[in-house]
Amino acid sequence: MTAPGPVLASDVPARARTSAYPEPFASRMAGRSKQALGDRFGLTNFGVNRTTLAPGATSALRHWHSVQDEFVYVLSGHPTLVTDEGETRLAPGICVGFKGGQANGHHLVNRTSEAAIYLEVGDRLPGDAGFYPDDDLNARKDADGSWRFEHKDGTPY
């Protein structure tokens, strides 16, 4: 199989499914659009998304991963990074990373009147789990790569 050639990132179609979260959480991701750039090239060891947050949109529920490292690089706009330490307004050219296993809940919120666009990169190591300090939600990655969501008491959604 021949690898796909170069492509303009903005031309990669957005994912049809806007969130893997169960309700009532999925609807909170309104205004977020992800273009799976890594998937376009068949990458399997790590993912790369070009993510757009409309004004008022949120990148994800505030979370941290047990295994997955995450990296974000802002391309345009001024999203606000929310972590356990507080809030930081980001700008184009700013990057931030989150080491798997470090319990520091994080997400981006677009509190401006213009879209924010950034690249997010994460590994795809097996055995990952996600923890959501602000919500009654935990997640475990199944062997097939899909997420299984549970309440914090262990009952499934």
Side-chain angles (χ1 to χ4, degrees), residues 17-151:
R17 185 174 170 193
T18 58
S19 176
Y21 295 135
E23 287 299 350
F25 309 109
S27 58
R28 290 171 48 190
M29 298 305 103
R32 178 189 76 179
S33 174
K34 291 189 178 201
Q35 296 161 283
L37 303 182
D39 290 355
R40 166 70 170 80
F41 298 98
L43 303 182
T44 56
N45 293 329
F46 64 93
V48 180
N49 294 317
R50 180 179 185 264
T51 303
T52 302
L53 296 182
T58 301
S59 64
L61 301 176
R62 202 167 71 85
H63 70 285
W64 62 276
H65 289 270
S66 64
V67 175
Q68 182 186 67
D69 289 345
E70 294 179 278
F71 176 85
V72 171
Y73 179 85
V74 178
L75 298 170
S76 66
H78 294 86
T80 298
L81 171 66
V82 181
T83 68
D84 290 350
E85 288 82 28
E87 299 188 2
T88 305
R89 188 168 190 221
L90 305 181
I94 292 178
C95 58
V96 63
F98 301 95
K99 176 91 178 116
Q102 294 185 354
N104 184 357
H106 57 272
H107 71 169
L108 299 175
V109 179
N110 185 359
R111 296 186 175 134
T112 73
S113 60
E114 65 179 46
I117 302 173
Y118 58 92
L119 294 178
E120 58 184 17
V121 181
D123 66 58
R124 294 180 173 169
L125 293 173
D128 193 24
F131 302 95
Y132 303 84
D134 303 330
D135 296 288
D136 180 22
L137 186 70
N138 285 328
R140 302 251 178 243
K141 188 175 269 193
D142 289 333
D144 68 359
S146 63
W147 288 99
R148 182 173 29 90
F149 293 95
E150 301 172 340
H151 293 270

Side-chain angles (χ1 to χ4, degrees), residues 8-21:
L8 188 61
S10 60
D11 288 345
V12 173
R15 288 182 177 162
R17 185 174 170 193
T18 58
S19 176
Y21 295 135

